[in-house]
Amino acid sequence: MSVEKLVESDSSMSPLSGFRRMFSRGAGNGAKVGAGFLVGALLVGGGAFAANTISSSDSINACVNNTSRVITIAPTSGKCPAGTRALTWNIAGPQGPAGPAGPAGAAGTNGAPGSTGPAGAAGATGASGAQGLAGSAGSAGSAGNAGSAGSAGSSSNSNTSFSVTSIANALLPSVVSIAITTRTGSATGSGSIIKSSATSTFILTNNHVISGATKVTVELEDGTEIEGQIVGFDVAYDLAVVMVNQGNLPVASFGDSSKVVIGEPVVAIGSPLGLSGTVTSGIISSLDRPVTTGGTGSETYINALQTDAAVNPGNSGGPLVNAQSLIIGVNSAIASLGSSTSSTGSIGLGFAIPINQAKRISNEIIATAKIVGAKVTLAGVSTRPLLGVSFDTSYAGSGAKIYALTAGGGAELAGIPANSVIKAIDGKSTKDNIEAIVRIRSYDPGASIKVTVDLPNSGGSRTFTVTLGSAPSNSA
């Protein structure tokens, strides 16, 4: 406040006595006050202090006598008489020393909970991720952090990234149409390129596609037609290999038919009714389906993969492909409602030879064939496994009844007696002799299998370990 207002606030005293009372009150005597001014010390309240000179900008209040210590109002000239010192009054004097630290402030209140995190991004084919959790409470006085985002949803099935378009694009270049001429007419089928060198290419197909051919023509995806040669065939498995003298063609890749499961999506590719490059899709409907084709003396026994993908005449020899664009079977047969040509067509019951069997057979045919230059001079051969028994075809009961044993065959060496009835092979039920043959031919020659039989003369059930023998597939 100003000096004028300070004096006027105490109307019971003169301006001079008022200043005296204010600055000496409680001091005890004037000497103490004077000593404080002589050394320039702060007197009270931070408002009064001693100064040797007075600036024109200061508020001049009074002069103090150096001897008597009497305070008088300063002259208007702004200079105190000789023997006196100026007394000034300011709202704020020189800054005093820092006071002691104040007590610590109270802790801040907890921050508000963080906001909910955003929903997680959608997985490759799965559902969207769950919403993120709310953020934890913030530290004292600050808001909580936002919740983290939800994790991405997992894909619905690691093995179901299934695109017919991508499979078709991958496989069509390695699928061919096969046309044959026979002495009595012509026929068409399909095939897959399984091996290609700089000068020649090998194609896997069915035996019944090329059977009786006097001329074989292979049509590539781009429409190029090339004469083909039969490298070899296997009647027992209904498989064959054709060669063309053109190299560096795209080759299909094999899958593993032992890992196929029911319900797995598949694609069938081929030339039904001569319509090359036809693609259909479906699923694996069943496994280990016993299928027989061919006439007497040339029967084929297939431990087939069953599919509902549309397979029609002309698809024979073409590939059955899984979601990874790998061949898992060779389309070979269909079931039909009638025997006439007009009623033959897909009813959702197609059958394919498992590729593990087809791979072994085709490798053996190629390896044993003799090829001189660009010409096949000796057909390749393949093998089939033998249990070493003959079955009683008149037996009407459940199972496959052994009529006779082959001397030195696997069954005889294992100790299985004649007239035993095979009930299971490697734990899979065997209902008749057809199923027994199909099961046995699903193995490689030399494989070790478990054969469970009912012994003759009510001798009970027993399981034998049998090592399968080997024989040329096209022999009787």
Side-chain angles (χ1 to χ4, degrees):
M1 71 181 59
S2 67
V3 175
E4 289 78 9
K5 291 183 178 179
L6 179 61
V7 174
E8 292 171 356
S9 66
D10 190 353
S11 58
S12 65
M13 58 187 73
S14 66
L16 180 59
S17 61
F19 270 105
R20 181 182 293 136
R21 286 192 179 112
M22 289 182 67
F23 291 107
S24 64
R25 187 175 298 150
N29 55 54
K32 289 183 180 180
V33 175
F37 279 110
L38 288 175
V39 297
L42 176 67
L43 295 179
V44 290
F49 59 93
N52 292 323
T53 62
I54 299 173
S55 168
S56 61
S57 62
D58 292 328
S59 295
I60 301 172
N61 303 315
C63 298
V64 59
N65 187 286
N66 292 338
T67 302
S68 64
R69 309 297 193 264
V70 174
I71 299 173
T72 61
I73 298 299
T76 59
S77 64
K79 294 185 178 293
C80 288
T84 65
R85 295 177 67 85
L87 176 67
T88 63
W89 177 264
N90 288 333
I91 296 301
Q95 185 176 3
T109 59
N110 288 336
S115 60
T116 302
T125 56
S128 298
Q131 189 178 35
L133 300 175
S136 58
S139 58
S142 61
N145 296 326
S148 59
S151 60
S154 59
S155 65
S156 57
N157 190 316
S158 60
N159 196 36
T160 57
S161 179
F162 184 68
S163 167
V164 175
T165 300
S166 63
I167 294 170
N169 289 337
L171 265 293
L172 280 172
S174 60
V175 178
V176 303
S177 297
I178 299 175
I180 68 164
T181 301
T182 69
R183 291 185 177 89
T184 59
S186 61
T188 61
S190 307
S192 299
I193 298 174
I194 59 172
K195 184 178 294 187
S196 188
S197 67
T199 57
S200 61
T201 295
F202 295 94
I203 297 162
L204 174 65
T205 187
N206 285 133
N207 174 59
H208 75 260
V209 169
I210 53 86
S211 180
T214 57
K215 180 181 179 181
V216 177
T217 302
V218 174
E219 181 183 344
L220 304 180
E221 184 200 19
D222 63 3
T224 302
E225 293 186 350
I226 312 169
E227 183 178 353
Q229 301 177 69
I230 298 172
V231 180
F233 58 90
D234 187 313
V235 174
Y237 287 94
D238 191 21
L239 293 167
V241 176
V242 172
M243 185 184 79
V244 294
N245 293 320
Q246 181 168 324
N248 299 321
L249 295 179
V251 175
S253 297
F254 292 145
D256 184 348
S257 54
S258 70
K259 295 181 179 180
V260 174
V261 296
I262 294 174
E264 180 176 340
V266 291
V267 168
I269 305 176
S271 303
L273 306 177
L275 302 174
S276 61
T278 297
V279 176
T280 60
S281 65
I283 63 168
I284 293 295
S285 305
S286 185
L287 303 173
D288 301 320
R289 187 70 77 191
V291 174
T292 60
T293 62
T296 303
S298 60
E299 298 92 340
T300 293
Y301 297 89
I302 304 172
N303 193 43
L305 305 175
Q306 181 180 324
T307 180
D308 67 351
V311 176
N312 290 285
N315 273 111
S316 291
L320 186 67
V321 185
N322 67 10
Q324 289 73 46
S325 301
L326 302 175
I327 300 179
I328 57 172
V330 179
N331 297 316
S332 300
I334 59 173
S336 60
L337 297 176
S339 58
S340 66
T341 302
S342 60
S343 64
T344 300
S346 175
I347 58 171
L349 295 172
F351 303 98
I353 302 168
I355 198 61
N356 289 8
Q357 296 176 26
K359 181 166 59 174
R360 178 182 71 82
I361 297 299
S362 60
N363 285 341
E364 289 182 1
I365 289 174
I366 295 171
T368 56
K370 185 175 182 180
I371 301 172
V372 179
K375 188 173 181 59
V376 177
T377 59
L378 182 66
V381 295
S382 52
T383 60
R384 59 185 171 90
L386 288 179
L387 179 61
V389 301
S390 297
F391 290 113
D392 183 353
T393 57
S394 65
Y395 179 70
S398 176
K401 186 175 182 179
I402 298 174
Y403 176 75
L405 300 171
T406 301
E412 184 185 64
L413 294 176
I416 300 177
N419 295 316
S420 296
V421 176
I422 298 176
K423 305 294 288 185
I425 296 175
D426 272 348
K428 293 182 180 179
S429 177
T430 303
K431 297 177 182 179
D432 53 33
N433 63 319
I434 298 298
E435 282 199 5
I437 295 172
V438 168
R439 297 273 186 268
I440 292 165
R441 291 193 180 177
S442 68
Y443 295 93
D444 294 347
S448 179
I449 64 173
K450 301 288 186 183
V451 179
T452 301
V453 303
D454 285 347
L455 297 170
N457 303 317
S458 302
S461 177
R462 183 178 171 186
T463 298
F464 296 85
T465 300
V466 180
T467 299
L468 298 175
S470 177
S473 279
N474 296 335
S475 64

